[in-house]
Amino acid sequence: MALHLGDANYERLYQILSSVIPPEKWEYVTLELDRTQRRTTRLMSEIYYGRLINKDTGESTHIIIKIVPSFSLISNFEQIYKNEICFYSRIFPAMNKFQKSKGIKNSFHNIPNYLGGHSLAEKECIIMENIGAAGYEILDRNIELIDSKYLKSIFKVYARMHALSFVFKYEHPEEFKTLTDELVDILKVFNTQGLDKPMESAYLAAIEAFNPEFEAETIKKLKEIKNVRDILGNARDCKGDYKCLTHGNCLIRNMLFKPPNDGGEDLQVKLIDFHLAYVSTPVHDLSYFFYSGASKEDMDKIDDYLELYYDTFSSFVKELGADPQEIYPYRVLQEDWKRYSLLGIFMGITASAGFLLKNSDLSEMFEKSHLPKESRKEIWRQKWMEIYKENAFKERAREICLHAVNYGIL
């Protein structure tokens, strides 16, 4: 719906815009709220779309304004927004300056332009370029499996992002530490607020999908994981030196795609929503999106995807003037996959349930404003419990669990 000057939402957005972007140079027009395209099921943000017209040049910029949702199951948005703003305003600009100093022609630029934001309590907002206006699209939120062409493109994008982070850390360790020390592990924050419970219940439901008479050994192996919530809360406390800046929030709906400019095979990809950004193993990014959407056939080809990732990683590390075997050896990537991708397994099982949520289910919980928060939480819990009984969830959860057992992750 269009927002007009007398509208309370418009006034709020106008104040946000004027506090971030100088109003003397911009005219704010066509601010809209699209209730059908909110990427994050309204748990993390409400998304407004708009357009800025530069009064001096006439230049038009399509924007997205992200603010705290009117209802959510979580709290402490100040730290969540602080993390994302830290990435956009300080960490990535430093990394980008570094790659430019190397004279890289094909630099890593797979994030939208950041225009500004606030992380103060009750004033949280982020303003970004709306790359949808440039032809980038999010895959259907109900997509269950990701086509291999998307998987390959994502592996390559993460390979370049991780390579840039690794080499920047290697050459400027103190600056890297100073910048990333500002980041907080939001997964731990979520853990204290009970958002780990759906992942724990999803994993337990996945075990129930196995036949105790014929699959007793598999069930026994799966049940060896007894502390799901502790694992989730401490998953990113990785040991050793092979850590880099990670995206963290790697669901497919946090990536936008556009056909290649040159007619080649690789899709153009932009990564969004960096509030879970943190320093940890690259495997957390890779396993999260992989197990959230790879088919059984693609899971069986995991070694091929790791080789594709490392080839791209090595190439970019060399462009940046470093030795990939010193920065992050391939054998360590292989070892880390079995050591650290359990987080991705949990995320993948949970995402398998999340993809089965209907838009009508979400609307029922979020639009019944008369209901107290605890009642909405109960609606949320009941929806998940219903999904765990669906054959689509059971089949997908079984595939992920069997892969984890057979590949040595569990």
Side-chain angles (χ1 to χ4, degrees):
M1 64 179 181
L3 300 173
H4 304 288
L5 277 171
D7 191 301
N9 286 329
Y10 186 99
E11 293 297 333
R12 181 184 180 190
L13 293 179
Y14 185 88
Q15 290 178 7
I16 288 172
L17 278 169
S18 60
S19 67
V20 175
I21 301 173
E24 64 271 13
K25 290 189 176 181
W26 293 90
E27 177 184 5
Y28 313 137
V29 298
T30 329
L31 295 175
E32 296 180 340
L33 167 61
D34 188 338
R35 294 184 181 274
T36 66
Q37 298 184 36
R38 291 185 187 175
R39 298 187 302 267
T40 53
T41 64
R42 300 175 227 180
L43 289 175
M44 298 295 178
S45 60
E46 287 187 1
I47 304 297
Y48 291 78
Y49 299 85
R51 188 160 57 96
L52 303 179
I53 305 295
N54 188 299
K55 292 179 180 178
D56 296 332
T57 66
E59 175 189 3
S60 176
T61 302
H62 292 271
I63 63 170
I64 283 176
I65 308 172
K66 182 163 69 172
I67 62 174
V68 171
S70 53
F71 168 78
S72 180
L73 300 179
I74 65 174
S75 56
N76 191 17
F77 280 95
E78 184 177 2
Q79 187 58 62
I80 293 170
Y81 276 70
K82 185 177 180 181
N83 254 31
E84 189 161 14
I85 290 171
C86 176
F87 170 80
Y88 286 130
S89 66
R90 292 185 286 284
I91 297 175
F92 182 71
M95 290 169 56
N96 192 34
K97 180 180 178 181
F98 171 72
Q99 66 179 341
K100 286 182 178 179
S101 72
K102 298 289 185 176
I104 302 296
K105 294 182 180 179
N106 184 24
S107 61
F108 174 82
H109 58 278
N110 301 84
I111 63 172
N113 293 325
Y114 170 74
L115 300 178
H118 288 302
S119 62
L120 297 177
E122 299 183 1
K123 295 183 179 180
E124 301 95 338
C125 71
I126 290 175
I127 303 175
M128 304 289 296
E129 168 196 14
N130 179 7
I131 56 176
Y136 284 87
E137 295 181 341
I138 298 175
L139 294 184
D140 188 325
R141 74 165 297 276
N142 293 313
I143 188 171
E144 293 183 42
L145 299 178
I146 306 172
D147 187 273
S148 59
K149 70 177 180 180
Y150 290 93
L151 291 175
K152 291 175 182 177
S153 295
I154 297 166
F155 266 103
K156 289 181 178 180
V157 166
Y158 276 130
R160 290 169 56 79
M161 174 183 163
H162 296 156
L164 175 59
S165 173
F166 264 116
V167 179
F168 177 63
K169 184 183 77 166
Y170 180 76
E171 294 195 12
H172 301 283
E174 293 302 321
E175 183 180 3
F176 180 85
K177 185 178 186 304
T178 298
L179 289 167
T180 58
D181 274 353
E182 296 185 46
L183 297 175
V184 169
D185 188 352
I186 299 298
L187 287 184
K188 287 189 175 182
V189 175
F190 289 168
N191 212 32
T192 63
Q193 298 181 23
L195 290 191
D196 54 325
K197 292 180 181 179
M199 295 186 193
E200 181 181 42
S201 61
Y203 183 69
L204 295 176
I207 297 175
E208 293 295 321
F210 288 85
N211 188 314
E213 182 178 356
F214 303 108
E215 299 172 304
E217 286 302 313
T218 300
I219 293 174
K220 180 181 178 181
K221 192 71 176 177
L222 295 173
K223 285 187 174 181
E224 289 178 3
I225 304 297
K226 300 180 183 298
N227 55 340
V228 174
R229 297 182 66 186
D230 288 341
I231 291 172
L232 288 167
N234 301 299
R236 298 202 285 186
D237 294 338
C238 304
K239 307 299 181 183
D241 297 326
Y242 297 111
K243 295 184 287 186
C244 67
L245 180 71
T246 58
H247 178 195
N249 197 8
C250 308
L251 282 174
I252 191 67
R253 67 178 69 120
N254 291 326
M255 306 166 191
L256 285 82
F257 302 91
K258 183 180 178 181
N261 285 328
D262 56 6
E265 294 183 0
D266 291 338
L267 294 157
Q268 297 183 69
V269 184
K270 296 281 188 180
L271 306 174
I272 58 174
D273 288 351
F274 279 83
H275 56 270
L276 295 184
Y278 199 63
V279 175
S280 65
T281 169
V283 168
H284 283 156
D285 279 349
L286 304 176
S287 62
Y288 186 165
F289 87 83
F290 187 70
Y291 293 123
S292 296
S295 67
K296 180 185 181 303
E297 291 73 21
D298 280 315
M299 283 193 284
D300 290 341
K301 298 175 183 176
I302 179 57
D303 291 328
D304 295 336
Y305 282 105
L306 292 182
E307 287 180 10
L308 173 68
Y309 169 88
Y310 198 76
D311 286 345
T312 307
F313 175 90
S314 297
S315 178
F316 198 38
V317 167
K318 290 176 182 177
E319 282 188 65
L320 292 165
D323 179 358
Q325 283 300 319
E326 183 176 2
I327 294 293
Y328 189 43
Y330 183 59
R331 62 167 179 79
V332 175
L333 171 63
Q334 293 174 303
E335 293 166 359
D336 283 356
W337 193 272
K338 296 183 180 182
R339 182 182 301 143
Y340 293 124
S341 61
L342 186 58
L343 176 62
I345 295 294
F346 291 150
M347 293 293 193
I349 293 171
T350 308
S352 299
F355 288 137
L356 294 173
L357 278 172
K358 301 179 180 64
N359 283 322
S360 58
D361 293 335
L362 298 171
S363 297
E364 182 178 354
M365 185 178 76
F366 288 104
E367 294 185 3
K368 290 187 175 181
S369 57
H370 63 284
L371 293 177
K373 186 173 183 178
E374 291 305 314
S375 297
R376 297 197 203 190
K377 280 187 175 182
E378 181 58 23
I379 293 174
W380 180 255
R381 191 188 71 82
Q382 290 294 336
K383 294 297 181 185
W384 283 88
M385 297 306 294
E386 291 171 10
I387 286 172
Y388 296 154
K389 299 175 183 177
E390 295 185 18
N391 287 333
F393 169 77
K394 292 179 180 179
E395 292 173 7
R396 176 62 181 164
R398 278 177 53 87
E399 290 177 350
I400 297 172
C401 289
L402 284 172
H403 169 87
V405 171
N406 294 334
Y407 198 69
I409 298 168
L410 290 173

